[in-house]
Amino acid sequence: MSSDTPGGHGPPAPAPPIGEGEAEDLLRGICFKTGPPRTVGVELEWLLHDREHPHRPVPPHLLEAAATAVRALPLSAALTFEPGGQLELSSRPAASLMACVDDTAADLIAVRAALARLGLAPAGLGVDPWHTPRRVLREPRYEAMESAFDRRGPAGRAMMCTTASVQVCLDAGEEEPGPLGYARRWQLAHVLGAVLVAAFANSPFQRGAPTPWRSTRQSLWADLDASRTLAPSGALPPRDAWTAHVLDTPVLCVRGEGPWAVPEGLAFRDWIRSGLPGRRPDRGDLDYHITTLFPPVRPRGHLELRMIDAQPGDDGWIVPLAVTTALFDDPEAAETVYRAVKPLAETAGASAAPRNPLWTAAARDGLTDPELRQAAAVCFALALEALPRIGASRAVVDAVAGFHDRYVARGRCPADDLRDLLTSGPAHRPDHPKGTLS
């Protein structure tokens, strides 16, 4: 979850109300900003754990010290902290894959050193395997989110406070049809996204116990408020689909002085029309409403792919970034991968991601699913061919090849390594003081 909240977390400044037609025009204009794909970015979320005893909750005062120390660093990326204390680095848009990798890697070296001085370490896991949800941020936004999500069960608190991801950000694409056209890239993202879930699943534990899922993180998103986490309808062109989705999704909160209102079932379109509760929305409210929508792929001018679990190791995040960028931005790979994964749409069926059979299988079964394993093998082969064409270094190509050999070629994902720890003796169990999941 990204805390990309326009104007911060406080009440809005007074502004003229927005009309329904104006809102529709704005959404169509800002959701897909077209042009040749040139830039790439990455948002990395990390759980923060005690270096020596990762099963022990980090006390709030130490999380505050970590935030202070990391904020003092001269980072290239934007830095935020999530409701449970997770750290997020959001890179600047980079002119190439390698520029993004190099800038982010340099930031992470500085961040790890600052955290190490406090006895902490960033952990690349999709879901915290030990700890129950504990919210440490008290901004009105998160109070409102918790209240809204609690109406539907515990998944909201778990998502807010115990999950972490790798989010890849790519240009929307060209206006014209073709492998780099924005409509094609939008379609590809919603099918290829399931392959990315399966290949990079890395969250098979929760609260010290195994779950039925290889990506428990993805299962939490699917179990959350469906109106807020589903992909828009595939029956409409992308701009129309996203515009309707934004306006017809219920408002999560209405900003104001004091506790924010948390209406139930009030679509943004209905808020425009009725002016309830209390006032009509303005442009800032529309921008804010968009940040409370969490579909697998979010169009923010560019495409934000949100379905990948945080990855193990210091540099594990590089592999999903490199693979995704190669498959989308190399024209030859983009054309071939689109044809290769298109049959998966039949498995997905009519239901929107992530609540369809394809995405459910990806989160539950990973690459033990034969169809997803075959698709992943094709995707990695295409990425390995394309990476040198988009300027990837030998080290990045080797990292992708190593992941392929360790996982994809064997029908495995990082979650399977974690599950194997259960058979390695009690010292490796996630609930053991010397557990090795961090």
Side-chain angles (χ1 to χ4, degrees):
M1 182 183 64
S2 179
S3 299
D4 47 346
T5 49
H9 297 276
I18 191 170
E20 188 172 345
E22 182 186 359
E24 291 175 340
D25 290 344
L26 281 168
L27 288 167
R28 289 193 179 95
I30 65 176
C31 57
F32 296 93
K33 295 180 180 177
T34 54
R38 292 193 179 97
T39 59
V40 58
V42 68
E43 299 177 16
L44 302 179
E45 295 173 339
W46 301 89
L47 303 169
L48 296 186
H49 284 167
D50 185 296
R51 285 172 61 89
E52 296 299 322
H53 303 283
H55 67 293
R56 295 179 182 173
V58 178
H61 76 273
L62 198 51
L63 288 174
E64 291 177 7
T68 299
V70 176
R71 287 188 178 116
L73 299 173
L75 301 176
S76 170
L79 171 72
T80 54
F81 284 85
E82 296 301 309
Q86 309 98 306
L87 180 152
E88 179 177 330
L89 290 176
S90 300
S91 76
R92 296 177 181 176
S96 68
L97 168 65
M98 288 312 304
C100 182
V101 168
D102 291 344
D103 288 349
T104 305
D107 282 348
L108 283 170
I109 289 172
V111 168
R112 288 193 180 94
L115 294 174
R117 288 191 285 270
L118 296 169
L120 301 178
L125 294 160
V127 171
D128 193 307
W130 296 285
H131 307 133
T132 58
R134 179 193 58 170
R135 184 161 58 89
V136 296
L137 298 186
R138 296 297 168 187
E139 285 87 353
R141 171 182 172 91
Y142 299 126
E143 301 284 349
M145 287 181 68
E146 186 173 274
S147 177
F149 290 147
D150 280 353
R151 293 168 178 165
R152 294 166 176 83
R157 291 193 183 208
M159 177 277 293
M160 291 172 64
C161 300
T162 65
T163 64
S165 68
V166 174
Q167 297 177 15
V168 180
C169 299
L170 302 169
D171 285 333
E174 298 174 341
E175 191 70 30
E176 297 76 16
L180 300 184
Y182 81 93
R184 173 77 68 85
R185 287 160 74 87
W186 178 248
Q187 292 176 331
L188 175 62
H190 288 92
V191 181
L192 179 61
V195 182
L196 299 175
V197 170
F200 298 109
N202 188 39
S203 50
F205 294 105
Q206 188 179 27
R207 302 190 184 195
T211 75
W213 306 90
R214 283 172 169 81
S215 178
T216 303
R217 174 184 168 274
Q218 186 58 54
S219 78
L220 292 170
W221 282 109
D223 199 31
L224 212 59
D225 176 3
S227 64
R228 201 164 305 284
T229 58
L230 282 180
S233 168
L236 297 172
R239 287 192 176 98
D240 293 341
W242 180 246
T243 297
H245 182 71
V246 171
L247 295 181
D248 294 333
T249 297
V251 173
L252 186 144
C253 57
V254 176
R255 297 174 297 162
E257 299 292 344
W260 293 358
V262 184
E264 187 165 9
L266 176 68
F268 197 91
R269 192 188 306 275
D270 294 334
W271 188 15
I272 292 175
R273 293 173 177 176
S274 69
L276 299 173
R279 62 178 178 85
R280 295 185 184 276
D282 58 29
R283 168 66 188 274
D285 291 310
L286 178 62
D287 291 339
Y288 202 91
H289 174 59
I290 293 171
T291 74
T292 69
L293 307 182
F294 309 113
V297 184
R298 186 163 60 178
R300 302 175 57 199
H302 59 274
L303 300 181
E304 181 184 79
L305 281 71
R306 305 171 52 83
M307 70 288 296
I308 302 168
D309 280 359
Q311 294 297 289
D314 288 353
D315 300 322
W317 57 273
I318 293 175
V319 176
L321 171 63
V323 168
T324 307
T325 304
L327 294 178
F328 274 83
D329 286 1
D330 178 79
E332 182 179 341
E335 178 62 33
T336 306
V337 76
Y338 179 78
R339 295 197 303 267
V341 303
K342 194 173 182 180
L344 294 176
E346 295 184 10
T347 302
S351 299
R355 288 190 170 191
N356 64 43
L358 177 66
W359 282 67
T360 299
R364 182 187 61 230
D365 303 327
L367 295 187
T368 64
D369 180 282
E371 191 176 28
L372 287 164
R373 177 179 180 176
Q374 181 179 5
V378 173
C379 290
F380 270 74
L382 291 171
L384 285 166
E385 292 175 1
L387 281 168
R389 295 197 292 265
I390 64 172
S393 69
R394 183 74 254 171
V396 168
V397 174
D398 288 347
V400 173
F403 188 98
H404 170 270
D405 294 345
R406 180 173 181 176
Y407 296 115
V408 178
R410 300 167 62 200
R412 291 173 61 86
C413 60
D416 293 310
D417 284 357
L418 300 182
R419 285 184 164 190
D420 286 349
L421 295 177
L422 285 175
T423 63
S424 301
H428 297 283
R429 291 179 59 89
D431 54 351
H432 191 277
K434 295 296 183 181
T436 58
L437 295 187
S438 64

